[in-house]
Amino acid sequence: MIMAIEAVTKNGINKKAAAREFKVPRSTLVRRLALATPYSRKMGPATEIPEAEEKIIENWVLAIARKGFPVHRQNLILSVKKMVEDMGKETKYFLNGTPGRSWFRGFLKRHPKIKEKYAEAVSKARAAVTQDRIEGWFEEILTFLQTENYMNILDDPSRIFNGDEAGFCLCPKNGKVLGPTENKEDFYVRVSSEKEQITVMATFSADGKYVPPMLIFPYKRVPHIIAESVPENWALGRSDSGWMTSAVFYEYISNHFLPYIQTNNIQKPVILFVDGHRSHLTKHVSQLCDENGVILISLFPNTTHIMQPADVAVFKPLKSGWATEVRKWKYENFPKDVTRSTFGTILKSVFDKYASHKTIQNGFRKSGLFPFDKNNVDYSKCIPNRKIFQESVNSTVDDNPTSAKLLAILESKIENRELEQFRETLTKNEDWSGDISYQKLYAVWATIKAESGNTSMKSQCIETNGVVEIEQNPSNPTEIILEDVHNMSPEPGPSTRPDWQTPLQRELLYYEEKEKEGFKVPTPFKRCLVYPKTPDQKTLKTPKRRIKIFPAVVSSGKYREFYNNEVNKKAGKERSKSVKKSSAACKESSSESDMDVPYEDEDLDLSEAENVTLEKDRHVIVKYEEQYYPGIVLKHDPEGAEVRTMVSAGVQSWKWPTKEDVLYYFMDSIICNIHNPKLKNNRGHYSVPEMNKYE
């Protein structure tokens, strides 16, 4: 209609032709031209809140949202109710003066600049990140790469990687379901734990490919059923908690990432961007990467939601696809539920469908990592650095410039003589021995001095070419010792190490060398690298007897090889027994000492557990750290059982502890079946005769 009116008034077209051209009623066009009706009018009754007041509300909502405080629907409704009460206005359609859902929907329709959406939770530290700081990080990385003559890496997307961990829940939220209308709620039986997650380490390259992922499980040894379900080229990691640790990340680089680079003939050196998690920033990882042509670079702190390709573009479709594939798998395998043994199979289909080349490439582009350009970063995710918001952030965020400025202001108020005495006392690591009136002032100054020095080390960006390790002086916890590890980095330019050969064996420790310390290492794992710093790992202490140890990270194929060897070894044992029986029955052949015996791998032993029968509520004896305990089976699988154990209550007496002691034991740690323990007295002490030979 407006276009028809403009055609008549401005272009001189007659009314009949304009109505025909713009397909509007001629009579309506005539009335509008005669100003009998306004050009724009709203149908229906007037709004309860006048247009001018609604405009004020709109400006308030937009302004406060830009400062980092988005308004919730309920807060808006309460604010409007308060405004109506202050105006003394009687409302016709507001129940008890409170706007309803219809008014809220109409308000959003009348003000399209406002949209209801889910707010992303951002920590105070992330909120303090500004565009200037991110751009400064880009400048620092460029300076480093130029100094080391590594700029050619930025032109090759196959040599730029980003790695990060993500948790995938075994039982994702089910979403909406269909059911009978008479039921208020519908339920489904959940087998897996609602909160159980499997940590997945995923590494992507800027050319749209991904390194076969690593799955981390909370085991001492990954069970056979899991190794069979995971693709052979994927990595299996293990840790006590099932989370990423320094040892797991070290062996991920040495036993999985570096072989991937070598197998795919990727030119070295390469860049690996990671976040600042403490497991990524260790001296041993830095040395391993330096000697093998991996430039490890830490992203700017608290910016992974902006600068990490995995978080920006890849993990969201992967997790959405994971929920979809889990629902599909449950439908096809009803009534089964997802367990650790089926996790790898489902995740493989998720990566194949949702980790597309285009998605990965877009993640690197949106993060500014390839092409390496700070202008590609989406700075709209940075909370605007405005005065009102910044004051609320600075009130709780510990920022290094604030500590440094505070120290400078304090020192400007202290006389030079006392300040020199403060510094001398702190350097000597002594207690204050000067004027007692300055004792509290010295304590305050020393605290701020320590905080200022401590926070300056937190924003470490580059892991290679000189790692700064922070340690504490045992005699003085406030003193910081800095260790500059420049001798671990290669000389500037790739020409000094054109082939990036594997480092000398004296620099590394292989699992086969642990056999000299009394351990047994299964054959497939002998040439895997072991994390060199292991004082906190009980399993790697020198044992009293030879026990098997397993790498923290190794491919699924090697685990399969290990279990196949174990099966062959058990078959060899059985054949050996049958041969011995037949030789005893035939006296004439018993003198033949050169009888062929099937090959047996000396790394593998047959446990007494082959005669154990696992059933729920059946009692067994288990072995834990060279000690034997009676217990009861809670649940079991082909690889072992979850057993609740008893504790000693004196000589030949056992009792159930107040806090249940439940652990998962593999078959080689389950010794034998026993009869039910017999109650000895009213104090809850039991007799377990089968334990006598183990005490």
Side-chain angles (χ1 to χ4, degrees):
M1 180 61 69
I2 295 177
M3 296 173 64
I5 293 173
E6 291 179 351
V8 173
T9 57
K10 295 181 180 180
N11 300 333
I13 301 176
N14 62 60
K15 301 172 185 177
K16 185 176 181 180
R20 183 171 56 252
E21 180 179 353
F22 295 99
K23 298 180 181 180
V24 296
R26 180 172 173 272
S27 58
T28 304
L29 178 60
V30 171
R31 286 199 309 271
R32 293 292 178 89
L33 289 173
L35 301 180
T37 56
Y39 286 173
S40 61
R41 55 180 289 186
K42 296 180 180 179
M43 308 302 292
T47 58
E48 292 280 9
I49 307 296
E51 185 176 351
E53 277 72 13
E54 282 200 355
K55 190 65 177 179
I56 295 175
I57 297 174
E58 178 190 25
N59 294 336
W60 168 70
V61 171
L62 295 175
I64 197 171
R66 292 190 183 102
K67 296 172 183 176
F69 303 99
V71 180
H72 192 270
R73 176 194 296 195
Q74 189 64 25
N75 294 339
L76 175 61
I77 291 175
L78 294 176
S79 298
V80 173
K81 178 181 179 181
K82 185 69 168 57
M83 177 184 292
V84 171
E85 292 176 353
D86 293 342
M87 294 170 57
K89 178 180 175 62
E90 294 186 2
T91 57
K92 183 178 180 181
Y93 300 103
F94 289 179
L95 181 62
N96 298 326
T98 303
R101 286 176 293 180
S102 298
W103 177 88
F104 179 76
R105 288 194 296 266
F107 177 81
L108 294 181
K109 188 175 181 180
R110 292 189 295 272
H111 303 276
K113 292 183 179 179
I114 301 175
K115 181 180 178 181
E116 190 176 23
K117 63 188 76 173
Y118 289 102
E120 180 181 358
V122 178
S123 65
K124 293 281 187 177
R126 284 192 173 186
V129 175
T130 62
Q131 180 175 345
D132 293 339
R133 294 185 177 187
I134 296 177
E135 291 178 347
W137 178 87
F138 274 93
E139 296 297 333
E140 290 181 8
I141 299 302
L142 280 176
T143 301
F144 164 75
L145 295 177
Q146 290 171 353
T147 303
E148 301 294 331
N149 295 332
Y150 290 148
M151 290 297 293
N152 62 322
I153 303 177
L154 299 180
D155 299 327
D156 187 354
S158 65
R159 299 167 65 188
I160 301 175
F161 295 86
N162 170 237
D164 191 26
E165 306 89 19
F168 287 80
C169 185
L170 290 183
C171 187
K173 293 184 178 179
N174 200 39
K176 293 184 178 181
V177 297
L178 301 178
T181 55
E182 61 268 17
N183 292 348
K184 291 184 177 180
E185 294 180 352
D186 289 288
F187 304 93
Y188 72 98
V189 179
R190 183 179 63 240
V191 178
S192 304
S193 173
E194 182 180 9
K195 297 182 179 180
E196 184 176 4
Q197 291 189 352
I198 303 299
T199 302
V200 178
M201 175 69 188
T203 301
F204 308 95
S205 61
D207 60 350
K209 300 178 181 179
Y210 64 87
V211 180
M214 174 181 67
L215 314 183
I216 307 177
F217 293 95
Y219 290 119
K220 295 294 184 183
R221 181 184 74 185
V222 178
H224 179 221
I225 190 171
I226 293 180
E228 288 291 336
S229 66
V230 176
E232 286 193 29
N233 61 338
W234 286 28
L236 291 175
R238 60 169 189 84
S239 66
D240 292 340
S241 61
W243 299 340
M244 178 63 74
T245 63
S246 299
V248 172
F249 186 70
Y250 178 92
E251 297 191 21
Y252 170 78
I253 297 292
S254 62
N255 299 332
H256 189 64
F257 182 69
L258 290 176
Y260 171 83
I261 293 177
Q262 184 176 0
T263 303
N264 291 272
N265 297 320
I266 299 175
Q267 182 183 352
K268 295 182 181 180
V270 299
I271 294 178
L272 175 59
F273 291 100
V274 295
D275 57 29
H277 192 268
R278 61 184 180 181
S279 63
H280 303 158
L281 306 178
T282 63
K283 177 179 178 181
H284 304 293
V285 169
S286 177
Q287 183 175 1
L288 177 70
C289 291
D290 276 350
E291 294 177 342
N292 286 272
V294 178
I295 305 171
L296 199 64
I297 299 181
S298 175
L299 297 170
F300 191 81
N302 302 305
T303 60
T304 55
H305 63 301
I306 301 175
M307 298 179 59
Q308 179 150 259
D311 287 340
V312 170
V314 187
F315 279 153
K316 184 174 181 180
L318 281 180
K319 291 194 174 183
S320 177
W322 167 253
T324 301
E325 291 298 314
V326 166
R327 285 193 291 268
K328 179 181 177 181
W329 187 91
K330 288 182 178 180
Y331 175 78
E332 296 174 350
N333 297 271
F334 182 81
K336 296 181 180 180
D337 209 342
V338 179
T339 61
R340 295 176 183 177
S341 60
T342 56
F343 178 84
T345 304
I346 302 175
L347 190 65
K348 175 65 166 59
S349 63
V350 172
F351 268 82
D352 291 342
K353 292 182 180 180
Y354 298 94
S356 64
H357 284 67
K358 186 176 180 180
T359 300
I360 298 173
Q361 291 170 350
N362 287 340
F364 277 87
R365 178 178 55 81
K366 292 284 289 183
S367 302
L369 300 184
F370 184 83
F372 197 79
D373 187 359
K374 61 184 178 183
N375 296 320
N376 289 341
V377 178
D378 184 8
Y379 293 109
S380 63
K381 295 182 180 180
C382 294
I383 304 296
N385 190 19
R386 299 181 182 271
K387 182 178 179 181
I388 296 178
F389 179 75
Q390 193 61 32
E391 288 177 356
S392 66
V393 173
N394 290 339
S395 62
T396 55
V397 176
D398 182 16
D399 202 6
N400 179 42
T402 303
S403 301
K405 289 179 180 178
L406 182 60
L407 180 64
I409 293 173
L410 181 60
E411 290 184 345
S412 66
K413 304 296 183 181
I414 303 175
E415 296 182 4
N416 292 334
R417 183 169 57 86
E418 279 72 20
L419 186 58
E420 290 297 330
Q421 193 173 359
F422 283 1
R423 292 170 177 167
E424 183 180 356
T425 303
L426 184 62
T427 303
K428 294 181 179 180
N429 192 23
E430 298 176 349
D431 295 332
W432 177 251
S433 58
D435 190 345
I436 193 173
S437 60
Y438 286 96
Q439 184 174 2
K440 291 186 177 180
L441 180 61
Y442 168 75
V444 174
W445 173 85
T447 301
I448 299 177
K449 181 77 172 176
E451 291 178 355
S452 177
N454 208 358
T455 54
S456 64
M457 297 298 133
K458 291 181 181 178
S459 59
Q460 175 185 351
C461 290
I462 303 177
E463 171 68 11
T464 58
N465 197 24
V467 175
V468 180
E469 297 236 340
I470 302 178
E471 300 179 357
Q472 285 189 339
N473 187 340
S475 61
N476 182 12
T478 62
E479 182 180 354
I480 304 299
I481 304 174
L482 303 181
E483 180 184 358
D484 194 1
V485 198
H486 280 284
N487 57 349
M488 298 190 306
S489 300
E491 296 296 326
S495 59
T496 58
R497 189 180 294 161
D499 298 330
W500 291 99
Q501 298 294 335
T502 303
L504 298 177
Q505 292 190 12
R506 61 181 177 83
E507 300 286 344
L508 302 171
L509 178 64
Y510 290 91
Y511 272 93
E512 66 177 354
E513 299 178 29
K514 301 298 291 183
E515 293 185 333
K516 301 176 183 178
E517 303 177 15
F519 295 97
K520 291 176 65 177
V521 182
T523 302
F525 310 133
K526 290 182 182 292
R527 294 302 296 170
C528 293
L529 287 171
V530 61
Y531 183 58
K533 187 178 180 181
T534 55
D536 57 336
Q537 299 183 13
K538 295 181 180 179
T539 56
L540 293 185
K541 290 182 179 179
T542 302
K544 296 180 181 179
R545 57 181 291 273
R546 288 171 60 85
I547 61 174
K548 293 179 185 176
I549 59 174
F550 298 84
V553 177
V554 74
S555 68
S556 173
K558 287 189 178 295
Y559 263 112
R560 294 185 185 187
E561 182 182 351
F562 159 71
Y563 284 114
N564 289 336
N565 289 344
E566 193 168 57
V567 171
N568 293 336
K569 192 267 177 167
K570 289 182 179 179
K573 273 282 190 183
E574 294 297 330
R575 288 195 298 269
S576 177
K577 289 181 180 179
S578 62
V579 169
K580 289 180 180 180
K581 288 181 180 179
S582 61
S583 63
C586 302
K587 296 182 180 180
E588 62 276 8
S589 62
S590 61
S591 59
E592 297 180 5
S593 58
D594 296 332
M595 181 182 298
D596 292 336
V597 179
Y599 168 78
E600 298 179 14
D601 189 344
E602 63 179 1
D603 295 330
L604 302 168
D605 56 346
L606 188 62
S607 171
E608 300 176 21
E610 63 178 290
N611 299 321
V612 174
T613 302
L614 293 181
E615 295 179 359
K616 186 179 179 182
D617 298 331
R618 187 161 185 176
H619 290 79
V620 294
I621 293 178
V622 297
K623 182 172 62 175
Y624 179 75
E625 293 187 351
E626 307 306 316
Q627 299 292 329
Y628 295 87
Y629 300 91
I632 186 172
V633 175
L634 301 181
K635 55 184 179 180
H636 61 90
D637 56 41
E639 303 298 328
E642 193 174 272
V643 180
R644 177 191 174 196
T645 55
M646 308 176 76
V647 296
S648 176
V651 179
Q652 298 182 357
S653 293
W654 299 86
K655 67 178 181 179
W656 297 106
T658 304
K659 184 178 180 180
E660 293 188 358
D661 187 1
V662 179
L663 282 177
Y664 184 90
Y665 296 87
F666 288 102
M667 291 299 297
D668 55 4
S669 296
I670 303 177
I671 307 305
C672 61
N673 295 109
I674 59 174
H675 295 91
N676 295 345
K678 298 179 180 180
L679 185 64
K680 296 174 60 177
N681 51 46
N682 57 4
R683 291 181 297 172
H685 292 186
Y686 290 83
S687 172
V688 185
E690 294 87 348
M691 284 296 300
N692 294 340
K693 67 175 181 178
Y694 298 106
E695 293 182 344

